[in-house]
Coordinates of all heavy atoms in Angstrom, one line a residue:
M1 N 70.4 75.2 4.7 CA 69.4 74.8 5.7 C 70.2 74.4 7.0 O 70.9 73.4 7.0 CB 68.6 73.6 5.2 CG 67.5 73.1 6.1 SD 66.5 71.8 5.4 CE 65.3 72.8 4.5
P2 N 70.1 75.2 8.0 CA 70.8 74.9 9.2 C 70.3 73.7 9.9 O 69.1 73.4 9.9 CB 70.7 76.2 10.1 CG 69.4 76.8 9.6 CD 69.3 76.5 8.1
K3 N 71.2 73.0 10.5 CA 70.8 71.8 11.3 C 71.0 72.2 12.8 O 71.9 72.9 13.2 CB 71.8 70.6 11.0 CG 71.4 69.4 11.7 CD 72.3 68.2 11.2 CE 71.5 66.9 11.6 NZ 71.5 66.0 10.4
V4 N 70.0 71.8 13.6 CA 70.1 72.0 15.0 C 70.1 70.7 15.7 O 69.3 69.8 15.4 CB 68.8 72.8 15.5 CG1 69.0 73.2 17.0 CG2 68.7 74.1 14.7
V5 N 71.0 70.6 16.7 CA 71.1 69.3 17.4 C 70.6 69.6 18.9 O 71.0 70.5 19.5 CB 72.6 68.8 17.5 CG1 72.7 67.6 18.3 CG2 73.1 68.6 16.1
F6 N 69.7 68.7 19.3 CA 69.1 68.9 20.6 C 69.6 67.7 21.4 O 69.5 66.5 21.0 CB 67.6 68.8 20.6 CG 67.0 70.0 19.9 CD1 66.7 69.9 18.5 CD2 66.7 71.1 20.6 CE1 66.1 71.0 17.9 CE2 66.1 72.2 19.9 CZ 65.8 72.2 18.6
Q7 N 70.2 68.0 22.6 CA 70.6 66.9 23.5 C 69.5 66.8 24.5 O 69.2 67.8 25.2 CB 71.9 67.2 24.2 CG 72.3 66.1 25.2 CD 73.6 66.4 25.9 OE1 74.6 66.8 25.4 NE2 73.5 66.1 27.2
L8 N 68.9 65.7 24.5 CA 67.7 65.4 25.4 C 68.2 65.2 26.8 O 69.3 64.9 27.1 CB 66.9 64.3 24.8 CG 66.5 64.4 23.4 CD1 65.6 63.2 23.0 CD2 65.8 65.7 23.1
A9 N 67.2 65.2 27.7 CA 67.5 65.0 29.1 C 68.2 63.7 29.4 O 69.0 63.6 30.4 CB 66.2 65.2 29.9
D10 N 67.9 62.7 28.6 CA 68.6 61.4 28.8 C 69.9 61.2 28.2 O 70.6 60.2 28.2 CB 67.6 60.2 28.3 CG 67.5 60.2 26.8 OD1 68.1 61.1 26.1 OD2 66.7 59.4 26.3
G11 N 70.4 62.3 27.6 CA 71.8 62.3 27.0 C 71.8 62.0 25.5 O 72.8 62.2 24.9
T12 N 70.7 61.5 25.0 CA 70.7 61.2 23.6 C 70.6 62.5 22.8 O 70.1 63.6 23.3 CB 69.6 60.3 23.2 OG1 68.3 60.9 23.5 CG2 69.7 59.0 23.9
E13 N 71.1 62.5 21.5 CA 71.0 63.7 20.7 C 70.1 63.4 19.5 O 70.1 62.3 19.0 CB 72.4 64.1 20.3 CG 73.3 64.6 21.4 CD 74.6 65.2 20.9 OE1 74.9 65.1 19.8 OE2 75.3 65.8 21.8
T14 N 69.4 64.4 19.1 CA 68.6 64.3 17.9 C 68.8 65.6 17.0 O 68.8 66.7 17.6 CB 67.1 64.1 18.2 OG1 66.4 63.9 17.0 CG2 66.5 65.3 18.9
G15 N 69.1 65.4 15.8 CA 69.4 66.6 14.9 C 68.2 66.8 14.0 O 67.5 65.8 13.5
V16 N 67.8 68.1 13.8 CA 66.7 68.4 12.9 C 67.2 69.4 11.8 O 68.0 70.3 12.2 CB 65.5 68.9 13.6 CG1 65.0 67.9 14.7 CG2 65.7 70.2 14.2
D17 N 66.7 69.3 10.6 CA 66.9 70.4 9.6 C 65.9 71.5 9.8 O 64.7 71.2 9.9 CB 66.8 69.8 8.2 CG 67.9 68.8 7.9 OD1 69.0 69.1 8.4 OD2 67.6 67.8 7.3
A18 N 66.3 72.7 9.9 CA 65.5 73.8 10.1 C 65.6 74.9 9.0 O 66.5 74.8 8.2 CB 65.8 74.5 11.5
R19 N 64.7 75.8 9.0 CA 64.7 76.9 8.0 C 65.3 78.1 8.6 O 65.1 78.4 9.8 CB 63.3 77.2 7.6 CG 62.6 76.1 6.7 CD 61.3 76.6 6.3 NE 60.4 76.9 7.5 CZ 59.2 76.4 7.7 NH1 58.6 75.7 6.8 NH2 58.5 76.7 8.8
I20 N 66.1 78.8 7.7 CA 66.6 80.1 8.1 C 65.5 81.0 8.5 O 64.5 81.1 7.8 CB 67.5 80.7 7.0 CG1 68.8 79.8 6.9 CG2 67.8 82.1 7.3 CD1 69.6 80.2 5.7
G21 N 65.6 81.7 9.6 CA 64.5 82.6 10.0 C 63.6 82.0 11.1 O 62.9 82.7 11.8
D22 N 63.6 80.7 11.1 CA 62.8 80.0 12.2 C 63.5 80.2 13.5 O 64.7 80.3 13.6 CB 62.6 78.5 11.9 CG 61.4 78.3 10.9 OD1 60.7 79.3 10.6 OD2 61.2 77.1 10.5
S23 N 62.8 80.0 14.6 CA 63.4 80.0 15.9 C 63.8 78.5 16.2 O 63.3 77.6 15.6 CB 62.5 80.5 17.0 OG 61.4 79.6 17.2
V24 N 64.7 78.4 17.2 CA 65.1 77.1 17.6 C 63.9 76.4 18.2 O 63.8 75.2 18.1 CB 66.3 77.2 18.6 CG1 66.6 75.9 19.3 CG2 67.5 77.8 17.9
M25 N 63.1 77.1 18.9 CA 61.9 76.6 19.5 C 61.0 76.0 18.4 O 60.5 74.8 18.5 CB 61.1 77.6 20.3 CG 59.8 77.2 20.9 SD 58.4 77.2 19.7 CE 58.0 79.0 19.7
T26 N 60.8 76.7 17.3 CA 60.0 76.2 16.2 C 60.6 74.9 15.6 O 59.9 74.0 15.3 CB 59.8 77.3 15.1 OG1 59.2 78.4 15.7 CG2 59.0 76.8 14.0
A27 N 61.9 75.0 15.4 CA 62.6 73.8 14.9 C 62.3 72.6 15.8 O 62.1 71.4 15.3 CB 64.1 74.0 14.8
A28 N 62.2 72.8 17.1 CA 62.0 71.7 18.0 C 60.5 71.2 17.9 O 60.3 70.0 17.8 CB 62.3 72.1 19.4
T29 N 59.6 72.1 18.1 CA 58.2 71.7 18.1 C 57.7 71.2 16.8 O 56.9 70.3 16.8 CB 57.3 72.9 18.6 OG1 57.5 74.0 17.7 CG2 57.7 73.3 20.0
Q30 N 58.2 71.7 15.7 CA 57.8 71.1 14.4 C 58.3 69.8 14.1 O 57.9 69.1 13.2 CB 58.1 72.1 13.3 CG 57.2 73.4 13.3 CD 57.4 74.3 12.1 OE1 58.4 74.2 11.4 NE2 56.5 75.2 11.9
N31 N 59.4 69.4 14.8 CA 60.0 68.1 14.6 C 59.8 67.1 15.8 O 60.4 66.1 15.9 CB 61.5 68.3 14.3 CG 61.7 68.9 12.9 OD1 61.6 68.2 11.9 ND2 62.0 70.2 12.9
G32 N 58.9 67.5 16.7 CA 58.5 66.6 17.7 C 59.6 66.3 18.8 O 59.6 65.3 19.4
V33 N 60.5 67.3 19.0 CA 61.5 67.2 20.0 C 60.9 67.3 21.4 O 60.3 68.4 21.6 CB 62.7 68.2 19.7 CG1 63.7 68.1 20.8 CG2 63.3 68.0 18.4
A34 N 61.1 66.4 22.2 CA 60.5 66.4 23.6 C 61.2 67.4 24.4 O 62.4 67.6 24.3 CB 60.6 65.0 24.2
G35 N 60.5 68.1 25.3 CA 61.1 68.9 26.3 C 61.0 70.4 26.0 O 61.4 71.2 26.8
I36 N 60.6 70.8 24.8 CA 60.4 72.2 24.5 C 58.9 72.4 24.5 O 58.2 72.1 23.5 CB 61.0 72.6 23.1 CG1 62.5 72.3 23.1 CG2 60.7 74.1 22.8 CD1 63.4 73.2 24.0
I37 N 58.4 72.9 25.6 CA 56.9 73.0 25.8 C 56.4 74.2 25.0 O 55.3 74.1 24.4 CB 56.6 73.0 27.3 CG1 57.1 71.7 27.9 CG2 55.1 73.1 27.5 CD1 57.2 71.7 29.4
A38 N 57.0 75.3 25.2 CA 56.6 76.5 24.5 C 55.2 76.9 24.7 O 54.4 77.2 23.7 CB 57.0 76.4 23.0
E39 N 54.8 77.0 25.9 CA 53.4 77.3 26.2 C 52.8 78.6 25.6 O 51.7 78.7 25.2 CB 53.2 77.4 27.8 CG 53.0 76.1 28.4 CD 52.9 76.2 29.9 OE1 52.9 77.4 30.5 OE2 52.8 75.2 30.6
C40 N 53.7 79.6 25.5 CA 53.2 80.9 25.0 C 53.3 81.0 23.5 O 53.0 82.1 22.9 CB 54.0 82.1 25.7 SG 55.6 82.3 25.1
G41 N 53.8 80.0 22.8 CA 53.9 80.0 21.4 C 55.0 80.9 20.8 O 55.0 81.3 19.7
G42 N 56.0 81.2 21.6 CA 57.1 82.0 21.2 C 57.0 83.5 21.4 O 57.7 84.3 20.8
N43 N 56.1 83.9 22.3 CA 56.0 85.3 22.7 C 56.8 85.8 23.8 O 56.6 86.9 24.4 CB 54.5 85.6 23.0 CG 53.6 85.5 21.7 OD1 54.0 86.0 20.7 ND2 52.5 84.8 21.8
C44 N 57.8 85.0 24.2 CA 58.7 85.4 25.3 C 58.0 85.7 26.6 O 58.2 86.8 27.2 CB 59.6 86.6 24.8 SG 61.1 86.7 25.8
S45 N 57.1 84.8 27.0 CA 56.4 85.1 28.2 C 56.1 83.9 29.1 O 55.4 84.0 30.0 CB 55.0 85.8 27.9 OG 54.2 85.0 27.1
C46 N 56.8 82.7 28.7 CA 56.5 81.6 29.6 C 57.7 80.9 30.1 O 57.7 80.2 31.1 CB 55.7 80.5 28.8 SG 56.6 79.7 27.5
A47 N 58.8 81.0 29.4 CA 60.1 80.4 29.8 C 60.1 78.8 29.8 O 60.9 78.2 30.5 CB 60.6 80.9 31.2
T48 N 59.1 78.2 29.1 CA 59.1 76.8 29.0 C 59.8 76.3 27.7 O 59.6 75.1 27.3 CB 57.6 76.2 29.0 OG1 56.9 76.8 27.9 CG2 56.9 76.6 30.3
C49 N 60.6 77.1 27.2 CA 61.4 76.7 26.0 C 62.9 76.9 26.3 O 63.7 77.0 25.4 CB 61.0 77.6 24.8 SG 61.4 79.3 25.0
H50 N 63.2 76.9 27.6 CA 64.6 77.1 28.0 C 65.5 76.0 27.5 O 65.2 74.8 27.5 CB 64.6 77.1 29.6 CG 65.9 77.3 30.3 ND1 66.1 76.9 31.5 CD2 67.0 77.9 29.8 CE1 67.4 77.2 31.9 NE2 67.9 77.9 30.9
V51 N 66.7 76.5 27.0 CA 67.7 75.5 26.6 C 69.1 76.0 27.1 O 69.2 77.2 27.5 CB 67.8 75.4 25.1 CG1 66.6 74.7 24.5 CG2 68.1 76.7 24.4
W52 N 70.1 75.1 27.2 CA 71.4 75.5 27.4 C 72.2 75.4 26.2 O 72.4 74.3 25.6 CB 72.0 74.6 28.5 CG 71.4 74.7 29.8 CD1 71.0 75.8 30.5 CD2 70.9 73.6 30.7 NE1 70.4 75.5 31.7 CE2 70.4 74.1 31.8 CE3 71.0 72.2 30.6 CZ2 69.9 73.4 32.9 CZ3 70.5 71.4 31.6 CH2 70.0 72.0 32.7
V53 N 72.7 76.6 25.7 CA 73.5 76.6 24.4 C 74.9 76.1 24.7 O 75.5 76.6 25.7 CB 73.5 78.0 23.8 CG1 74.4 78.1 22.6 CG2 72.1 78.5 23.5
R54 N 75.4 75.2 23.9 CA 76.8 74.7 24.1 C 77.7 75.9 23.9 O 77.5 76.8 23.1 CB 77.1 73.7 23.1 CG 76.4 72.4 23.3 CD 77.3 71.4 24.1 NE 76.6 70.2 24.3 CZ 76.6 69.1 23.5 NH1 77.3 69.1 22.4 NH2 76.0 68.0 23.8
E55 N 78.8 75.8 24.7 CA 79.8 76.9 24.8 C 80.3 77.4 23.5 O 80.6 78.5 23.2 CB 80.9 76.5 25.7 CG 81.7 77.6 26.2 CD 82.8 77.2 27.3 OE1 82.5 76.2 27.9 OE2 83.8 77.8 27.3
D56 N 80.5 76.4 22.5 CA 81.2 76.8 21.3 C 80.3 77.6 20.4 O 80.7 78.2 19.4 CB 81.6 75.5 20.5 CG 80.6 74.4 20.4 OD1 79.6 74.5 21.2 OD2 80.8 73.5 19.6
F57 N 79.0 77.7 20.7 CA 78.1 78.6 20.0 C 77.7 79.8 20.8 O 76.9 80.7 20.2 CB 76.8 77.8 19.5 CG 77.0 77.1 18.3 CD1 77.4 75.8 18.3 CD2 76.9 77.7 17.0 CE1 77.7 75.0 17.1 CE2 77.1 77.0 15.8 CZ 77.5 75.7 15.9
A58 N 78.1 80.0 22.0 CA 77.7 81.1 22.8 C 78.0 82.4 22.2 O 77.1 83.3 22.2 CB 78.3 81.0 24.2
H59 N 79.1 82.6 21.6 CA 79.5 83.9 21.0 C 78.6 84.2 19.7 O 78.5 85.3 19.4 CB 81.0 84.0 20.7 CG 81.4 83.0 19.6 ND1 81.4 81.7 19.7 CD2 81.7 83.3 18.3 CE1 81.8 81.1 18.6 NE2 82.0 82.1 17.7
V60 N 78.1 83.1 19.1 CA 77.4 83.3 17.9 C 75.9 83.8 18.2 O 75.4 84.6 17.6 CB 77.3 82.1 17.0 CG1 76.7 82.3 15.7 CG2 78.8 81.6 16.8
V61 N 75.3 83.1 19.2 CA 74.0 83.5 19.6 C 73.8 84.8 20.3 O 72.8 85.4 20.3 CB 73.2 82.3 20.4 CG1 73.2 81.1 19.6 CG2 73.9 82.1 21.7
G62 N 74.9 85.2 21.0 CA 74.9 86.5 21.6 C 74.2 86.4 23.0 O 73.9 85.3 23.6
E63 N 73.8 87.6 23.5 CA 73.3 87.7 24.8 C 71.8 87.9 24.8 O 71.2 88.5 23.8 CB 73.9 88.9 25.6 CG 75.4 88.8 25.8 CD 75.8 87.7 26.7 OE1 75.0 87.5 27.7 OE2 76.8 87.0 26.5
P64 N 71.0 87.5 25.8 CA 69.6 87.7 25.8 C 69.3 89.2 26.1 O 70.1 89.9 26.7 CB 69.1 86.9 27.0 CG 70.3 86.7 27.9 CD 71.5 86.7 26.9
D65 N 68.1 89.7 25.5 CA 67.8 91.1 25.8 C 67.2 91.1 27.2 O 67.1 90.1 27.9 CB 66.8 91.6 24.7 CG 65.5 90.9 24.7 OD1 65.1 90.2 25.7 OD2 64.8 91.0 23.7
D66 N 66.7 92.3 27.6 CA 66.3 92.5 29.0 C 65.1 91.7 29.4 O 65.0 91.1 30.5 CB 66.0 94.0 29.3 CG 67.2 94.9 29.3 OD1 68.3 94.3 29.3 OD2 67.1 96.1 29.2
L67 N 64.1 91.5 28.5 CA 62.9 90.8 28.7 C 63.3 89.3 28.9 O 62.8 88.6 29.8 CB 61.9 90.9 27.6 CG 60.6 90.1 27.7 CD1 59.9 90.4 29.0 CD2 59.7 90.4 26.5
E68 N 64.0 88.8 28.0 CA 64.5 87.4 28.1 C 65.3 87.1 29.3 O 65.1 86.1 30.0 CB 65.3 87.0 26.8 CG 65.7 85.5 26.8 CD 66.5 85.1 25.6 OE1 66.6 85.9 24.7 OE2 67.1 84.0 25.6
E69 N 66.1 88.1 29.6 CA 67.0 88.0 30.8 C 66.1 87.8 32.1 O 66.3 87.0 32.9 CB 67.8 89.3 30.9 CG 68.7 89.3 32.1 CD 69.9 88.4 31.9 OE1 70.4 88.2 30.8 OE2 70.4 87.9 33.0
A70 N 65.0 88.6 32.2 CA 64.2 88.5 33.3 C 63.4 87.2 33.4 O 63.2 86.6 34.4 CB 63.2 89.7 33.3
L71 N 63.0 86.8 32.2 CA 62.2 85.5 32.1 C 63.1 84.3 32.5 O 62.6 83.3 33.1 CB 61.6 85.3 30.8 CG 60.2 85.7 30.5 CD1 59.8 85.4 29.1 CD2 59.3 84.9 31.5
L72 N 64.3 84.3 32.1 CA 65.2 83.2 32.4 C 65.3 82.9 33.9 O 65.5 81.8 34.3 CB 66.6 83.5 31.8 CG 66.7 83.2 30.3 CD1 68.0 83.8 29.8 CD2 66.6 81.7 30.0
D73 N 65.1 84.0 34.7 CA 65.1 83.8 36.2 C 63.9 83.0 36.6 O 63.9 82.5 37.8 CB 65.2 85.2 36.9 CG 66.6 85.8 36.7 OD1 67.6 85.1 36.5 OD2 66.7 87.0 36.9
L74 N 62.9 83.0 35.8 CA 61.6 82.3 36.2 C 61.6 80.9 35.7 O 60.6 80.1 36.0 CB 60.4 83.1 35.7 CG 60.3 84.5 36.2 CD1 59.1 85.2 35.5 CD2 60.2 84.6 37.7
A75 N 62.5 80.5 34.9 CA 62.5 79.1 34.3 C 62.7 78.1 35.5 O 63.3 78.4 36.5 CB 63.7 78.9 33.3
V76 N 62.0 76.9 35.3 CA 62.0 76.0 36.4 C 63.4 75.3 36.5 O 63.8 74.8 37.6 CB 61.0 74.9 36.2 CG1 59.6 75.5 36.4 CG2 61.1 74.1 34.9
S77 N 64.1 75.3 35.4 CA 65.4 74.6 35.5 C 66.6 75.5 35.8 O 66.4 76.8 35.7 CB 65.7 73.9 34.1 OG 65.4 74.8 33.1
E78 N 67.6 74.9 36.2 CA 68.8 75.7 36.7 C 69.3 76.7 35.6 O 69.3 76.3 34.4 CB 69.9 74.7 36.9 CG 71.3 75.2 37.1 CD 72.3 74.0 36.9 OE1 71.9 72.9 36.8 OE2 73.5 74.3 37.0
R79 N 69.7 77.8 36.0 CA 70.2 78.8 35.0 C 71.7 78.6 34.9 O 72.4 78.5 35.9 CB 69.9 80.2 35.4 CG 70.3 81.2 34.4 CD 69.6 82.5 34.5 NE 70.1 83.4 33.5 CZ 69.8 84.6 33.3 NH1 68.9 85.1 34.1 NH2 70.4 85.3 32.4
R80 N 72.2 78.6 33.6 CA 73.6 78.4 33.4 C 74.1 79.5 32.5 O 73.3 80.2 31.9 CB 73.9 77.1 32.7 CG 73.5 75.9 33.6 CD 73.8 74.6 32.9 NE 73.4 73.4 33.6 CZ 73.5 72.2 33.2 NH1 74.0 71.9 32.0 NH2 73.2 71.2 34.0
P81 N 75.4 79.7 32.3 CA 75.9 80.7 31.4 C 75.3 80.6 30.0 O 75.1 81.7 29.3 CB 77.4 80.5 31.4 CG 77.7 79.9 32.7 CD 76.5 79.0 33.0
G82 N 75.0 79.4 29.5 CA 74.5 79.3 28.2 C 72.9 79.3 28.1 O 72.4 79.0 27.1
S83 N 72.3 79.6 29.2 CA 70.8 79.6 29.2 C 70.2 80.6 28.2 O 70.6 81.8 28.2 CB 70.3 80.0 30.6 OG 70.4 78.9 31.5
R84 N 69.3 80.1 27.4 CA 68.6 81.0 26.5 C 67.2 80.5 26.4 O 66.9 79.3 26.6 CB 69.2 81.1 25.1 CG 70.6 81.7 25.0 CD 70.5 83.2 25.4 NE 69.6 84.0 24.6 CZ 69.9 84.6 23.5 NH1 71.1 84.6 23.1 NH2 69.0 85.3 22.9
L85 N 66.3 81.3 26.0 CA 64.9 80.9 25.6 C 65.0 80.6 24.1 O 65.3 81.5 23.3 CB 63.9 82.0 25.9 CG 63.8 82.3 27.4 CD1 62.7 83.4 27.6 CD2 63.4 81.1 28.2
S86 N 64.7 79.4 23.8 CA 64.9 78.9 22.4 C 64.0 79.7 21.4 O 64.3 79.7 20.2 CB 64.7 77.4 22.2 OG 63.4 77.0 22.6
C87 N 62.9 80.3 21.9 CA 62.0 81.0 20.9 C 62.7 82.4 20.5 O 62.2 83.0 19.6 CB 60.6 81.3 21.5 SG 60.6 82.4 22.9
Q88 N 63.7 82.7 21.3 CA 64.4 84.0 21.0 C 65.7 83.8 20.2 O 66.4 84.7 19.9 CB 64.7 84.7 22.3 CG 63.4 85.1 23.1 CD 62.4 85.9 22.3 OE1 62.7 87.0 21.8 NE2 61.2 85.3 22.1
L89 N 65.9 82.6 19.8 CA 67.1 82.3 19.0 C 66.7 82.0 17.5 O 66.0 81.0 17.2 CB 67.8 81.0 19.5 CG 68.3 81.1 20.9 CD1 68.9 79.7 21.4 CD2 69.4 82.1 21.0
T90 N 67.0 83.0 16.7 CA 66.6 82.9 15.3 C 67.7 82.3 14.5 O 68.9 82.7 14.6 CB 66.3 84.3 14.7 OG1 65.3 84.9 15.5 CG2 65.8 84.2 13.3
L91 N 67.4 81.3 13.7 CA 68.4 80.5 12.9 C 68.9 81.2 11.7 O 68.1 81.8 11.0 CB 67.8 79.1 12.5 CG 67.6 78.2 13.8 CD1 66.7 77.1 13.4 CD2 68.9 77.7 14.3
T92 N 70.2 81.1 11.6 CA 70.9 81.7 10.4 C 71.8 80.6 9.9 O 72.1 79.6 10.6 CB 71.7 82.9 10.8 OG1 72.7 82.5 11.8 CG2 70.9 84.0 11.4
E93 N 72.4 80.8 8.7 CA 73.4 79.8 8.2 C 74.6 79.7 9.2 O 75.1 78.6 9.4 CB 74.0 80.3 6.9 CG 73.1 80.0 5.7 CD 72.9 78.4 5.5 OE1 73.6 77.6 6.1 OE2 72.0 78.1 4.7
E94 N 74.9 80.8 9.9 CA 76.0 80.8 10.8 C 75.7 79.8 12.0 O 76.7 79.4 12.7 CB 76.1 82.2 11.4 CG 77.5 82.7 11.7 CD 77.5 84.1 12.3 OE1 76.5 84.8 12.4 OE2 78.6 84.5 12.6
L95 N 74.5 79.6 12.3 CA 74.1 78.7 13.4 C 74.0 77.2 13.0 O 73.5 76.4 13.7 CB 72.8 79.2 14.1 CG 73.0 80.5 14.9 CD1 71.7 80.9 15.4 CD2 74.0 80.3 16.0
D96 N 74.4 76.9 11.8 CA 74.3 75.5 11.3 C 75.2 74.7 12.3 O 76.3 75.0 12.5 CB 74.9 75.4 9.9 CG 74.8 74.0 9.4 OD1 73.8 73.3 9.7 OD2 75.7 73.6 8.7
G97 N 74.6 73.6 12.8 CA 75.3 72.8 13.8 C 75.1 73.2 15.2 O 75.6 72.5 16.1
L98 N 74.3 74.2 15.4 CA 74.0 74.7 16.8 C 73.5 73.5 17.7 O 72.7 72.7 17.3 CB 72.9 75.7 16.8 CG 72.4 76.2 18.2 CD1 73.5 77.0 18.9 CD2 71.1 77.0 18.0
T99 N 74.2 73.3 18.8 CA 73.8 72.3 19.7 C 73.3 72.9 21.0 O 74.0 73.8 21.6 CB 74.9 71.3 20.0 OG1 75.4 70.8 18.7 CG2 74.5 70.2 20.9
V100 N 72.1 72.5 21.4 CA 71.6 73.0 22.7 C 71.1 71.8 23.6 O 70.7 70.7 23.0 CB 70.4 73.9 22.5 CG1 70.8 75.1 21.7 CG2 69.2 73.2 21.8
E101 N 71.2 71.9 24.9 CA 70.8 70.9 25.8 C 69.4 71.3 26.3 O 69.1 72.5 26.6 CB 71.7 70.8 27.0 CG 73.1 70.3 26.6 CD 74.0 70.2 27.8 OE1 73.6 69.6 28.8 OE2 75.1 70.7 27.7
I102 N 68.5 70.3 26.5 CA 67.2 70.5 27.0 C 67.2 70.2 28.5 O 67.6 69.0 28.8 CB 66.1 69.7 26.3 CG1 66.1 70.2 24.8 CG2 64.8 69.9 26.9 CD1 65.2 69.4 23.9
P103 N 66.9 71.1 29.4 CA 67.0 70.8 30.8 C 66.0 69.6 31.2 O 65.0 69.5 30.6 CB 66.5 72.1 31.5 CG 66.7 73.1 30.5 CD 66.5 72.5 29.1
P104 N 66.4 68.8 32.2 CA 65.6 67.6 32.5 C 64.3 68.0 33.1 O 63.4 67.2 33.1 CB 66.5 66.9 33.6 CG 67.5 67.9 34.1 CD 67.7 68.9 32.9
E105 N 64.1 69.2 33.6 CA 62.8 69.5 34.2 C 61.7 69.8 33.2 O 60.6 70.1 33.6 CB 62.9 70.8 35.1 CG 63.7 70.5 36.4 CD 65.2 70.7 36.2 OE1 65.7 70.9 35.1 OE2 66.0 70.5 37.2
Q106 N 62.1 69.8 31.9 CA 61.1 70.1 30.9 C 60.6 68.9 30.0 O 60.1 69.2 29.0 CB 61.7 71.2 29.9 CG 61.8 72.5 30.6 CD 62.4 73.6 29.7 OE1 62.3 74.7 30.0 NE2 63.0 73.2 28.6
P107 N 60.9 67.7 30.4 CA 60.5 66.6 29.5 C 59.0 66.5 29.5 O 58.3 67.0 30.3 CB 61.1 65.3 30.1 CG 61.3 65.6 31.6 CD 61.5 67.1 31.7
Ligands
LIG201 S1 57.9 79.8 24.0 FE1 57.3 81.0 25.7 S2 59.1 82.0 26.3 FE2 59.7 80.9 24.6

């Protein structure tokens, strides 16, 4: 069972146990993590699930596809090298301990 750590906008961190195959967005919303709004429910069309993936996991999560890439430009928060839409990050055992930051514009 992979654990995902969310760093909230105030700097505090909260860890949640998630299921393999779930998205990082689902792990957040099912555990009441603030700041992941996910208006479109994970259909890659709202960009309100934006997170910044910590550098040590960047190579594991890989790169966004073209649709996600375009949507990231519409996110309200600053785009960074680790920017991803959390609904497009599917959890695997390899991602156990994944840490993502939630942008302050999404609380
Ligand atoms: S939940 Fe809408 S783009 Fe991720």
Side-chain angles (χ1 to χ4, degrees):
M1 184 175 272
K3 184 173 201 132
V4 184
V5 178
F6 295 92
Q7 182 182 316
L8 308 181
D10 65 2
T12 59
E13 293 188 350
T14 184
V16 304
D17 292 322
R19 288 181 304 227
I20 291 173
D22 277 355
S23 69
V24 172
M25 178 277 281
T26 300
T29 56
Q30 288 187 343
N31 288 281
V33 176
I36 301 293
I37 300 165
E39 274 178 5
C40 76
N43 290 314
C44 200
S45 59
C46 73
T48 62
C49 64
H50 181 203
V51 294
W52 295 314
V53 175
R54 289 264 178 89
E55 197 175 331
D56 47 345
F57 275 93
H59 68 287
V60 186
V61 299
E63 298 293 322
D65 65 16
D66 290 348
L67 177 59
E68 182 183 349
E69 182 71 34
L71 261 180
L72 281 167
D73 287 337
L74 302 176
V76 294
S77 44
E78 167 195 358
R79 186 158 177 183
R80 296 181 182 176
S83 283
R84 292 298 304 268
L85 297 178
S86 59
C87 68
Q88 301 303 300
L89 297 174
T90 302
L91 289 164
T92 62
E93 278 296 350
E94 215 181 357
L95 288 176
D96 183 37
L98 173 69
T99 303
V100 301
E101 295 178 49
I102 299 176
E105 290 84 359
Q106 288 181 166

